[in-house]
Amino acid sequence: MAVFAFSVAPMTAGESVADQVAEAVRIVRESGLPNRTTSMFTEIEGSWDEVMPVIQRATDTIVRAGYRTSLVIKADIRPDGRTGELHGKIARVEERLSADEEETGHS
């Protein structure tokens, strides 16, 4: 299991790539795998065999539209098969921050 962060976008001269990126995100969401999209990346959780075809389909939708395409992928690979890390990693950091705030009295 792993959490993959990827960014795919057409390399165009125009300002906005929102339409093309929205289509790629739609493919990720339709996969049924846990996912989250932020301003910089789309994160998706699953096995290599589940996630890589989704990233490929999301990328292909932009390439098929005739655009030169930029793709960046980063992965946090868990050999122990742990799941729920898309949200679990953030929850652990927030817990530590809350504990620090309680100890110092700062919020």
Side-chain angles (χ1 to χ4, degrees), residues 3-6 28 34-38 41-45 86:
V3 174
F4 295 82
F6 78 101
V28 172
N35 66 84
R36 170 180 46 232
T37 300
T38 65
F41 288 96
T42 294
E43 298 170 317
I44 183 170
E45 183 174 17
L86 186 68

Side-chain angles (χ1 to χ4, degrees), residues 3 6 9 15 21-22 27-28 47 58 63 69 71 73-74 78 82 84 91-92 94-96 99 104-105:
V3 174
F6 78 101
E15 283 290 318
V21 172
I27 289 167
V28 172
S47 70
V63 172
T69 303
L71 173 65
I73 302 173
K74 183 175 180 178
R78 301 285 181 145
R82 188 181 326 181
R92 287 189 297 277
E94 292 297 333
E95 287 171 8
R96 283 169 179 78
T104 64

Side-chain angles (χ1 to χ4, degrees), residues 19-95:
D19 291 339
Q20 295 85 4
V21 172
E23 186 55 34
V25 170
R26 184 180 344 276
I27 289 167
V28 172
R29 291 183 179 173
E30 289 174 351
S31 76
L33 294 171
N35 66 84
R36 170 180 46 232
T37 300
T38 65
S39 62
M40 296 288 292
F41 288 96
T42 294
E43 298 170 317
I44 183 170
E45 183 174 17
S47 70
W48 281 95
D49 292 340
E50 294 170 318
V51 172
M52 294 310 287
V54 176
I55 293 173
Q56 183 175 6
R57 284 193 309 271
T59 303
D60 285 348
T61 192
I62 294 173
V63 172
R64 277 194 311 273
Y67 295 106
R68 183 175 172 200
T69 303
S70 169
L71 173 65
V72 176
I73 302 173
K74 183 175 180 178
D76 178 0
I77 301 164
R78 301 285 181 145
D80 60 5
R82 188 181 326 181
T83 61
E85 291 302 296
L86 186 68
H87 301 290
K89 292 172 72 171
I90 294 170
R92 287 189 297 277
V93 169
E94 292 297 333
E95 287 171 8

Side-chain angles (χ1 to χ4, degrees), residues 96-107:
R96 283 169 179 78
L97 290 171
S98 292
D100 289 348
E101 289 173 2
E102 288 176 13
E103 286 178 14
T104 64
H106 293 93
S107 54

